[in-house]
Amino acid sequence: MRRLRTALLAVPAAIALTLALPGSAWAATGSASNYMWAGHASATWTWSGPGSLTNIDLHVEDDNCNSNPVYAQLRVTRSNGGVWYTSTHRYDYNGCSGSGTNHNDLTLSDGYNIKYIALYVCNDGTFNDCIVGPNSSANPLA
């Protein structure tokens, strides 16, 4: 009985020690997707801080055979309500082949807390036809 009591008392102490150890940081991940008539995009990433994302893997795919490539950008919504778009257009030039284009290991940072990410997808033609997808889940680190 004494061993059992000693073992039971040691378990909470071990759990508390494990929770307090540095380097056992919790990695938060996020994702977003957007579909439009001409194509779609999807992305996954790691929330690496209140104002940064790392390991962004973006997939862009042209679903329409109209000779215009499809591109995607990230729309950033700050925790204060401000919104901005990444300046780089990430394209799929493969037409309607169905394979799409992967843009991997991208990063994004902002001097303010990032609350949400959404994908902005466009059909790059004479008149850019664009649509913004739904927001990702909220950044748990912001």
Side-chain angles (χ1 to χ4, degrees):
M1 186 65 150
R2 178 177 270 170
R3 280 190 211 165
L4 179 60
R5 189 176 354 184
T6 304
L8 290 176
L9 292 174
V11 169
I15 291 171
L17 181 60
T18 302
L19 294 176
L21 288 175
S24 61
W26 172 67
T29 59
S31 65
S33 61
N34 187 4
Y35 295 85
M36 68 177 298
W37 66 270
H40 67 273
S42 60
T44 59
W45 61 85
T46 301
W47 294 109
S48 55
S52 60
L53 290 76
T54 56
N55 303 318
I56 302 169
D57 291 335
L58 173 64
H59 179 78
V60 181
E61 192 164 320
D62 187 343
D63 295 333
N64 194 287
C65 300
N66 64 0
S67 301
N68 298 320
V70 170
Y71 68 85
Q73 294 170 265
L74 299 177
R75 184 187 74 179
V76 177
T77 302
R78 293 174 170 164
S79 57
N80 67 3
V83 174
W84 61 275
Y85 294 80
T86 56
S87 59
T88 303
H89 298 175
R90 304 292 178 171
Y91 281 90
D92 174 27
Y93 291 107
N94 294 322
C96 56
S97 68
S99 61
T101 301
N102 292 318
H103 303 275
N104 296 325
D105 298 323
L106 306 173
T107 61
L108 184 147
S109 62
D110 190 349
Y112 297 94
N113 289 354
I114 297 172
K115 186 71 171 178
Y116 304 109
I117 296 295
L119 291 175
Y120 186 67
V121 178
C122 298
N123 182 44
D124 194 11
T126 305
F127 302 101
N128 283 350
D129 186 9
C130 302
I131 187 168
V132 175
N135 282 332
S136 68
S137 296
N139 180 354
L141 305 176

